[in-house]
Amino acid sequence: MSKTYKICLIEGDGIGHEVIPAARLVLEATGLKFEFVEAQAGWETFERIGTSVPEATLEAVTHTDATLFGAATSPTKKVPGFFGAIRYMRRKLDLFANVRPAKHHPVPGSRPGVDLIVVRENTEGLYVEQERTYLEGEIAIADTVITRKASARIGEYAARLAASRPRKQLHVAHKANVLPMTQGLFMNTVLAEAARFPEVKTQDIIIDNCAMQLVRNPERFDVIVTTNLFGDIISDLTAGLVGGLGIAASGNIGTRHAVFEPVHGSAPDIAGKGIANPAATILSGVMMLEHLGEHEIARRVEAAVDKVLEEGPRTPDLGGSATTLQFAEAVARAI
Ligand code: NAI
Ligand code: MG
């Protein structure tokens, strides 16, 4: 008897309600055995019960083999008592590595030859969300926190990942020239960890130069490790290199738990229309299958996604007219 994987599904808000059921349909078509546990999180949950991540959701995430998350809305102004669902789970469950591959897929605007992974430190930096204002809002200050411990952990993760890939190349992207204490601690700690992997070719790169090089020569990059805010920004850039948010997948990996999610948000402009591209969520599901050790099935699902992206039917964001469900059904058939 093959194993039954217990998977927590969190739709969240907006198009999360559309892309998660689509990804579920594809997972069910793999022939693997799944037991799905549904949990709530996000803005709608906050409006309903006053918290964006209920205890029951944390329980569900920690008592399953892995979690697939849709997207959650965050208001742009401060709402008392509200905290961003995915950022909260990252910190609370210590999902320290945000892994965002950018790999060429057969879609308009995707640059052939790109096959890189951004590894973003996921628990600290500027995203500790410690902000305050002085002088009646005339001055605003945000803290950035860098620890040796978190830098060493993400450094080791990234170096190990680079060591497992054919090119074995690691870039440490930073701004230590301007912020030698915080960014310097990150850079030096990561470089020290990477030195323990002599087969990995490691070099540091200043983040703004990294952004420019990524636009001009993205093919030369393999694994890039960086701090939280920089990783957030450059991983959207790298998503743009390979066809955009409709196909960009990610994983939030900790030592004990993992939450996989598309890079995109809740897309209020198209939510409820049934036209969201589920490819990013399905490819996040592929990362989840890899994480579970189902490498062969993961490759089959990814190939099925590529086949449908190439031959259609495509969703409107990629120039087609398929619905979310039609795309997912085509992938399920192609597996
Ligand atoms: P977004 O990713 O939701 O949307 C940006 C643009 O891309 C929109 O035009 C949207 O229609 C399009 N788009 C996104 N995903 C798509 C898909 N699967 N198929 C087709 N088109 C797609 O980013 P935005 O507009 O900046 O944020 C909207 C909300 O989402 C905000 O409340 C934000 O805080 C939240 N958000 C949540 C994230 C998460 O849950 N991890 C990540 C990013 C944003
Ligand atoms: Mg982002």
Side-chain angles (χ1 to χ4, degrees):
M1 274 250 305
S2 64
K3 184 175 164 44
T4 298
Y5 293 108
K6 215 169 159 182
I7 303 297
C8 176
L9 294 179
I10 303 174
E11 293 182 358
D13 300 314
I15 61 170
H17 296 299
E18 299 157 51
V19 294
I20 288 290
R24 176 182 180 150
L25 185 149
V26 170
L27 288 172
E28 282 169 341
T30 59
L32 293 171
K33 291 206 195 95
F34 292 105
E35 179 192 335
F36 294 106
V37 178
E38 291 182 33
Q40 322 288 316
W43 176 250
E44 291 164 23
T45 305
F46 176 77
E47 286 200 304
R48 209 166 45 242
I49 60 171
T51 173
S52 50
V53 183
E55 269 308 308
T57 298
L58 288 178
E59 280 282 300
V61 173
T62 51
H63 290 90
T64 46
D65 297 314
T67 297
L68 193 59
F69 181 86
T73 300
S74 285
T76 44
K77 58 176 196 298
K78 186 124 187 83
V79 175
F82 175 83
F83 44 81
I86 189 72
R87 285 189 301 282
Y88 179 76
M89 285 196 280
R90 285 168 183 161
R91 283 205 302 269
K92 186 85 183 168
L93 303 171
D94 208 20
L95 307 173
F96 67 89
N98 193 316
V99 180
R100 298 186 164 191
K103 191 171 160 190
H104 172 70
H105 288 278
V107 297
S110 177
R111 308 252 296 254
V114 175
D115 183 6
L116 61 86
I117 301 185
V118 175
V119 177
R120 159 186 169 193
E121 201 291 319
N122 219 9
T123 61
E124 54 181 35
L126 257 181
Y127 286 17
V128 292
E129 297 178 69
Q130 296 296 324
E131 289 189 297
R132 59 209 164 269
T133 56
Y134 296 99
L135 302 177
E136 282 151 27
E138 291 303 304
I139 300 177
I141 295 180
D143 292 326
T144 187
V145 175
I146 301 289
T147 63
R148 192 181 302 281
K149 184 169 169 238
S151 304
R153 192 161 65 162
I154 199 73
E156 184 191 351
Y157 183 93
R160 203 178 286 286
L161 179 64
S164 75
R165 289 166 57 88
R167 285 186 287 163
K168 306 195 190 314
Q169 214 195 85
L170 179 64
H171 281 92
V172 187
H174 64 86
K175 195 75 189 178
N177 50 330
V178 176
L179 300 166
M181 290 192 178
T182 48
Q183 287 287 317
L185 177 58
F186 178 81
M187 178 189 76
N188 288 320
T189 309
V190 171
L191 288 174
E193 283 301 314
R196 299 197 293 120
F197 296 80
E199 70 275 36
V200 175
K201 297 176 282 296
T202 306
Q203 65 185 100
D204 77 281
I205 184 168
I206 294 175
I207 187 68
D208 36 351
N209 179 33
C210 181
M212 194 265 287
Q213 299 289 340
L214 275 170
V215 173
R216 290 181 67 90
N217 300 302
E219 312 80 17
R220 59 176 276 238
F221 288 92
D222 184 11
V223 177
I224 303 169
V225 62
T226 190
T227 50
N228 211 334
L229 171 68
F230 295 156
D232 190 6
I233 298 168
I234 65 161
S235 61
D236 270 36
L237 188 161
T238 55
L241 293 172
V242 291
L245 289 175
I247 60 164
S250 79
N252 300 278
I253 319 280
T255 31
R256 298 173 51 203
H257 313 294
V259 176
F260 297 85
E261 51 155 351
V263 170
H264 64 70
S266 57
D269 53 338
I270 57 164
K273 296 186 178 158
I275 55 166
N277 189 346
T281 311
I282 297 169
L283 291 171
S284 302
V286 168
M287 290 179 75
M288 182 176 79
L289 293 170
E290 294 275 6
H291 180 78
L292 295 171
E294 295 289 347
H295 304 290
E296 144 96 57
I297 304 242
R299 272 194 299 275
R300 267 174 47 209
V301 177
E302 187 176 11
V305 171
D306 275 352
K307 182 173 189 291
V308 179
L309 287 173
E310 193 158 12
E311 297 170 9
R314 288 181 180 159
T315 44
D317 59 307
L318 297 178
S321 59
T323 65
T324 308
L325 197 59
Q326 283 166 343
F327 182 90
E329 282 169 348
V331 172
R333 277 195 302 275
I335 289 172

